[in-house]
């Protein structure tokens, strides 16, 4: 029989009130009865900080399967993998397995399979990107805070309020999420929809969406009023948006990041907001997660008093998405526990001691 370690976040009374909050320790992705009926053991915890006394570290030693989410991840680094003597499968209930040291996973126990539920939250994240763009350019947050205070000063918020129509918007990477963002932006009659990616969209998709590919990231940044990051985190993108790169963006432009917090240099983004070079920054990803109380992007704003649309990592964990990634996790478990190992190819990140896709380091999220 198999021991499964499930590392999630606590939902408290919210999870009791709403059973559809499947990604919580209380509701356990709906897996407990299903696993226990087959004779397997499920251990669930939110105690994941790297410490020999943490529940994660204690239970990791003999777990055969680990499941975690990207929203409140259990970081599985080389040190932890070294003591996971029975580990065979690591599942991300969602998209994005950068909380796992993939090179170390390749070398652990003859190769730990790393899988995620590809496609499970792409619609959810794309919708969040569009919402964040509108919240920022319409200066919504400062306007709402004003009415909460009991004030009424239209000029104070209208001075930093714009239409999305006739703006140039670009995405860094045009994978499953980036493409959906562009499709949704088409309805806003933007001046241009641009993308930068090593792999172009098909001619049919390009014409259907009405977008254009640019040759360099610098060109994208120079031309865009709004830039949205939709690429995966890997060594080529870690810390990509630093002071030098942000300086290439148009003064007064907006940056949205729902990809991964470590793709940006938080201090540099905060400085660009404070200087006024960036009109706004928004998204839901931080590094590490959960964000520390004094994380600079919790409060960083531009001189006009707006420009911050940051929230907890929630874009890909709507109730609809939770159902999809819970179902996908169960499907991956079924493939493993049945002995068939007939996984969906698109779900595999690391398999049989090697990267399942050689382009993982460059592929679009």
């Amino acid at each position: 029989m198999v021991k499964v370690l499930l590392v999630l976040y606590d939902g408290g009374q919210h999870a009791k009130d709403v059973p559809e909050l499947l990604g919580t320790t209380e509701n356990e992705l709906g897996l407990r009865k299903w696993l226990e009926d087959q004779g397997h053991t499920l251990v669930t915890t939110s105690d994941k900080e790297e410490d020999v006394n943490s529940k994660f570290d204690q239970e990791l030693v003999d777990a055969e399967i680990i499941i975690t989410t990207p929203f409140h991840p259990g970081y599985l680094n080389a040190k932890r993998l070294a003591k996971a003597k029975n580990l065979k499968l690591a599942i991300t209930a969602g998209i994005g397995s950068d909380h796992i040291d993939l090179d170390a996973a390749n070398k652990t126990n003859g190769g730990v399979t790393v899988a995620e539920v590809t496609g499970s939250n792409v619609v959810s994240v794309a919708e969040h990107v569009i919402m964040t763009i509108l919240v920022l350019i319409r200066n919504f947050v400062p306007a709402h805070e004003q009415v909460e205070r009991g004030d009424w000063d239209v000029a104070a918020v209208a001075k930093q309020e714009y239409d999305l129509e006739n703006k140039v918007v670009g995405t860094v990477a045009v994978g499953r999420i980036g493409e959906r963002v562009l499709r949704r932006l088409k309805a806003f009659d933007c001046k241009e929809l641009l993308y930068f990616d090593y792999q172009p969209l098909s001619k049919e998709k390009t014409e259907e969406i009405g977008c254009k590919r640019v040759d360099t990231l610098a060109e994208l940044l120079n031309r865009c009023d709004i830039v949205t990051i939709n690429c995966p985190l890997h060594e080529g993108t870690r810390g990509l948006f630093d002071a030098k790169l942000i300086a290439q963006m148009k003064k007064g432009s907006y940056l949205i990041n729902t990809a991964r917090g470590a793709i940006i240099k938080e201090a540099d983004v905060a400085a660009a907001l404070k200087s006024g070079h960036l009109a706004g920054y928004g998204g839901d990803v931080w590094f590490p997660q959960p964000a520390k109380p004094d994380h600079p992007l919790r409060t960083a704003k531009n001189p006009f008093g707006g420009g911050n649309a940051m929230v907890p990592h929630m874009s890909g964990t709507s109730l609809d998405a939770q159902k999809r990634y819970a179902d996908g996790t169960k499907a991956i478990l079924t493939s493993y526990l049945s002995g068939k190992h007939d996984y969906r190819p698109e779900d595999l990140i690391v398999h049989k001691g090697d990267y399942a896709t050689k382009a993982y380091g460059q592929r679009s999220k």
Side-chain angles (χ1 to χ4, degrees):
M1 294 296 100
V2 170
K3 175 180 174 179
V4 180
L5 176 57
L6 185 58
V7 186
L8 301 172
Y9 59 89
D10 296 327
Q13 188 61 44
H14 306 297
K16 296 175 183 178
D17 294 341
V18 183
E20 293 82 5
L21 278 167
L22 293 168
T24 60
T25 54
E26 292 81 4
N27 295 324
E28 302 177 308
L29 299 175
L31 294 174
R32 179 166 294 279
K33 186 177 186 303
W34 179 74
L35 284 169
E36 291 181 345
D37 283 351
Q38 299 176 67
H40 304 302
T41 300
L42 177 65
V43 177
T44 302
T45 185
S46 62
D47 180 16
K48 63 183 180 58
E49 297 307 316
E50 192 165 5
D51 186 318
V52 291
N53 296 316
S54 77
K55 188 75 170 176
F56 184 9
D57 285 278
Q58 289 175 7
E59 300 291 346
L60 175 64
V61 176
D62 61 348
E64 187 169 332
I65 300 172
I66 290 177
I67 305 169
T68 186
T69 73
F71 314 106
H72 197 284
Y75 290 94
L76 197 59
N77 55 28
K79 181 180 177 181
R80 278 176 158 167
L81 283 165
K83 61 185 179 183
K85 302 301 183 182
N86 293 339
L87 187 62
K88 295 296 183 183
L89 175 64
I91 304 174
T92 299
I95 302 174
S97 297
D98 47 88
H99 54 280
I100 301 171
D101 186 325
L102 299 178
D103 289 335
N106 272 327
K107 302 170 185 175
T108 298
N109 304 335
V112 172
T113 293
V114 178
E116 59 188 44
V117 189
T118 297
S120 60
N121 54 24
V122 293
V123 169
S124 312
V125 177
E127 289 185 1
H128 194 98
V129 171
I130 301 301
M131 177 189 71
T132 304
I133 291 173
L134 289 169
V135 163
L136 283 172
I137 67 169
R138 299 311 299 257
N139 214 23
F140 178 87
V141 174
H144 179 68
E145 290 173 343
Q146 185 189 107
V147 298
E148 280 192 322
R149 291 192 304 267
D151 296 338
W152 189 277
D153 187 351
V154 175
V157 288
K159 69 179 182 181
Q160 189 67 15
E161 181 189 14
Y162 300 94
D163 296 335
L164 181 51
E165 182 175 290
N166 207 35
K167 300 297 184 294
V168 180
V169 187
T171 173
V172 181
V174 70
R176 294 179 179 88
I177 294 173
E179 179 186 334
R180 283 168 173 79
V181 169
L182 293 179
R183 287 183 180 278
R184 284 156 176 76
L185 285 169
K186 181 180 180 181
F188 288 91
D189 293 327
C190 297
K191 183 177 182 180
E192 285 187 299
L193 296 176
L194 307 177
Y195 73 91
F196 171 70
D197 201 313
Y198 74 100
Q199 184 173 336
L201 291 171
S202 67
K203 181 180 178 182
E204 292 75 21
K205 286 184 178 180
T206 299
E207 292 176 351
E208 181 184 349
I209 298 170
C211 59
K212 299 176 184 177
R213 183 187 183 208
V214 296
D215 294 329
T216 66
L217 180 55
E219 182 182 356
L220 183 84
L221 302 180
N222 288 333
R223 292 172 61 179
C224 284
D225 301 299
I226 302 158
V227 174
T228 169
I229 303 171
N230 296 293
C231 59
L233 174 65
H234 52 75
E235 289 312 305
T237 60
R238 188 177 301 275
L240 177 64
F241 275 79
D242 58 11
K244 183 177 180 181
L245 192 70
I246 294 169
Q248 298 181 56
M249 297 179 67
K250 292 172 65 174
K251 182 175 174 56
S253 57
Y254 299 85
L255 181 62
I256 287 85
N257 182 13
T258 54
R260 285 296 181 267
I263 292 175
I264 61 103
K265 291 287 185 69
E266 57 192 44
D268 293 352
V269 171
L273 284 167
K274 186 176 180 181
S275 72
H277 186 77
L278 282 180
Y281 178 77
D284 69 325
V285 287
W286 313 73
F287 183 79
Q289 293 185 163
K292 295 179 180 179
D294 61 350
H295 194 292
L297 292 177
R298 284 182 180 266
T299 55
K301 297 178 181 179
N302 64 28
F304 289 97
N308 191 319
M310 290 299 292
V311 296
H313 195 171
M314 61 180 285
S315 66
T317 191
S318 66
L319 295 181
D320 298 300
Q322 290 192 39
K323 177 66 164 60
R324 290 191 293 267
Y325 65 67
D327 288 346
T329 298
K330 189 174 182 179
I332 294 169
L333 283 170
T334 298
S335 295
Y336 179 83
L337 296 172
S338 68
K340 295 180 180 179
H341 295 199
D342 53 346
Y343 310 105
R344 293 193 311 168
E346 61 267 33
D347 287 346
L348 294 173
I349 306 302
V350 167
H351 189 48
K352 296 181 179 178
D354 200 1
Y355 285 96
T357 168
K358 296 297 183 182
Y360 179 76
Q362 300 139 358
R363 73 173 188 166
S364 300
K365 182 180 172 187

